[in-house]
Amino acid sequence: MAAQTEENLLKRQKLASCSSDDEAGMDLVDGVPPPCECDECFLDSGDSAGEQTSPTRKELLRKMSRNSWRKIRNMVHWSPFIQQFKKHRYPWIQLAGHQGNFRAGEQGTILKKLCSKEQKCLKILMSDILRPYVPEYIGEVEKDGENYIQMQDLLGEFESPCLMDCKLGVRTYLEDELQKARECPKLRKDMYQKMVEVDPNEPTEQERAQGAITKPRYMIWRETISSSATLGFRIEGIKKSDGSSSRDFKTTKTREQVTESFQYFTDKNKSVILKYCRRLKAIRATLEASPFFHKHELIGSSLLFVHDGTERSSVWMIDFGKSTQLPEGVTLDHRAEWEEGNREDGYLRGLDSLIDIFEQMLNGQNNNTT
């Protein structure tokens, strides 16, 4: 029965995968897969997605399946797969990013779809002073014809953990991505629709007349609506130990809004807040002395916060798929304002803000500034 449960949960996790290789195995109309709606998949979609064309049969079927898929999407996104570790079973949950990128590994490990850039970073980090603050890299493995990075399962020591993913930095796109989007700009009706759903007053008169915007316009705007622009980080997702969860933080922008979200996540538990504060300060001090950090631009990287009912708490740096080594002789301040061309990522600016907010929560101070 346990094996069958694990198999069923793995199938549900695979159902949420972004990979087109999985489409053939999905029990969907005409082989149309459920759409992944993470930001990365949306931005990576072809520019033709926004063009005005006559819908094909497959497009109509995709549209029909989208509504029913949305009803179960949140359940699938937050569905755990069960893994055996230290003679007890526990849920492992993906908070953000491409769904289906992970699967169960050997005891105490998880498998993440291979990204050569992330793999390279993890290998370097194993000999850097940041090693205690990142998941342990174990190696590359092949499973069912797919290559994966095998790494430490950070949730293995926790019982029914609460999780929070915070994306660090003032932007989540590389300068190269912005430049490529500008080389052949096309009007995107889908991105216009995403914009007006969040802020109907944002489009210009010309954009309203067109009913579309360009991808560079969307990429830059997207960062301004969250706390990435104001605080140097944003919340990607929160899951509580009772199973309740939320990923609706796209417009959580002010310091007060972020503080309220942190209070909800920690239940205002001073012991948990104190441990998070100490861990964040240790990460910051180590970053400022780290050779890896001085030689890399960190884009799209997150901090994973985990605690449980025993008040065991920790924070790790995760997601290095967009971390890029800097050219020889180039250094970043990691706090300076980003201007196109200077490659500043704002990582330390975000970390400073996080520490400041947790310290104010610890001291019981009200925070009403933006």
Side-chain angles (χ1 to χ4, degrees):
M1 181 65 71
Q4 185 177 3
T5 302
E6 180 174 357
E7 181 181 357
N8 290 337
L9 287 168
L10 282 169
K11 285 181 179 178
R12 290 168 64 191
Q13 185 72 11
K14 186 177 181 181
L15 184 64
S17 174
C18 303
S19 174
S20 60
D21 294 337
D22 292 335
E23 292 181 14
M26 293 181 177
D27 186 20
L28 293 172
V29 180
D30 223 23
V32 179
C36 177
E37 298 186 3
C38 74
D39 285 343
E40 292 303 319
C41 286
F42 180 66
L43 283 176
D44 287 342
S45 62
D47 287 325
S48 60
E51 295 176 354
Q52 186 67 31
T53 58
S54 299
T56 65
R57 167 174 164 74
K58 201 161 189 175
E59 287 169 343
L60 288 172
L61 287 168
R62 185 184 293 275
K63 187 174 181 180
M64 291 168 62
S65 67
R66 183 181 293 269
N67 290 335
S68 59
W69 172 250
R70 277 177 174 163
K71 293 177 183 179
I72 63 170
R73 174 171 60 89
N74 287 337
M75 178 179 69
V76 174
H77 277 190
W78 294 95
S79 294
F81 60 74
I82 304 299
Q83 179 165 309
Q84 191 79 19
F85 183 57
K86 287 195 174 180
K87 299 183 179 180
H88 71 274
R89 298 167 69 81
Y90 66 92
W92 187 92
I93 300 209
Q94 181 179 351
L95 274 178
H98 300 280
Q99 301 305 317
N101 268 3
F102 293 87
R103 64 184 297 172
E106 298 299 324
Q107 290 188 354
T109 71
I110 58 169
L111 305 181
K112 184 176 183 179
K113 283 186 179 179
L114 178 65
C115 168
S116 57
K117 186 176 284 188
E118 180 162 36
Q119 183 184 43
K120 182 179 179 180
C121 287
L122 287 171
K123 285 182 177 180
I124 297 172
L125 284 164
M126 291 303 95
S127 58
D128 190 89
I129 58 174
L130 282 170
R131 179 169 180 168
Y133 306 105
V134 300
E136 180 185 1
Y137 172 77
I138 297 169
E140 180 180 341
V141 299
E142 183 180 341
K143 199 164 188 178
D144 299 330
E146 185 110 42
N147 291 327
Y148 293 88
I149 295 172
Q150 186 175 23
M151 66 179 76
Q152 172 193 5
D153 183 354
L154 300 174
L155 307 188
E157 298 295 328
F158 293 86
E159 296 285 348
S160 301
C162 298
L163 315 174
M164 180 171 69
D165 182 311
C166 287
K167 195 167 291 292
L168 271 288
V170 295
R171 56 189 169 92
T172 55
Y173 54 84
L174 295 165
E175 292 186 356
D176 288 347
E177 292 177 307
L178 187 60
Q179 184 57 39
K180 287 178 182 178
R182 284 175 175 157
E183 288 174 357
C184 189
K186 293 183 180 180
L187 292 176
R188 296 283 298 268
K189 295 181 182 294
D190 55 340
M191 291 185 172
Y192 174 84
Q193 188 59 38
K194 282 247 184 181
M195 176 182 282
V196 296
E197 285 175 1
V198 174
D199 186 355
N201 298 318
E202 175 62 26
T204 64
E205 290 186 11
Q206 181 181 0
E207 289 167 346
R208 291 181 191 281
Q210 295 169 338
I213 58 175
T214 64
K215 185 174 179 178
R217 163 81 161 111
Y218 179 84
M219 291 169 72
I220 294 173
W221 166 80
R222 185 185 63 166
E223 308 297 357
T224 66
I225 64 175
S226 72
S227 57
S228 292
T230 55
L231 298 172
F233 74 90
R234 71 168 181 251
I235 302 171
E236 287 287 288
I238 289 176
K239 178 199 166 291
K240 299 295 288 292
S241 60
D242 62 4
S244 60
S245 60
S246 176
R247 299 174 69 193
D248 187 21
F249 298 99
K250 288 183 178 179
T251 57
T252 301
K253 185 174 184 177
T254 68
R255 194 182 187 97
E256 182 178 24
Q257 290 171 331
V258 170
T259 301
E260 288 175 356
S261 297
F262 285 177
Q263 289 172 337
Y264 162 75
F265 170 61
T266 61
D267 291 320
K268 300 183 181 180
N269 185 313
K270 289 295 183 72
S271 176
V272 170
I273 294 170
L274 176 61
K275 290 174 182 178
Y276 279 148
C277 209
R278 288 174 174 171
R279 179 77 169 180
L280 289 171
K281 288 180 178 179
I283 290 174
R284 181 171 62 182
T286 308
L287 282 169
E288 291 176 332
S290 163
F292 172 88
F293 190 59
H294 286 302
K295 295 177 181 178
H296 285 78
E297 172 189 8
L298 270 60
I299 301 296
S301 183
S302 292
L303 289 177
L304 178 65
F305 294 74
V306 188
H307 69 268
D308 62 19
T310 68
E311 298 184 348
R312 177 177 294 166
S313 311
S314 198
V315 186
W316 288 275
M317 298 172 63
I318 61 171
D319 296 338
F320 300 98
K322 285 189 175 183
S323 295
T324 306
Q325 189 165 350
L326 297 168
E328 190 68 31
V330 176
T331 59
L332 299 181
D333 178 69
H334 296 289
R335 287 187 176 95
E337 291 291 329
W338 174 65
E339 296 178 358
E340 193 170 346
N342 71 6
R343 302 187 64 165
E344 287 291 348
D345 52 27
Y347 194 98
L348 286 178
R349 177 183 169 191
L351 187 51
D352 289 342
S353 296
L354 274 167
I355 292 171
D356 190 44
I357 292 173
F358 273 104
E359 282 188 327
Q360 291 195 345
M361 288 170 58
L362 190 63
N363 296 328
Q365 299 176 15
N366 292 323
N367 199 333
N368 298 316
T369 60
T370 58

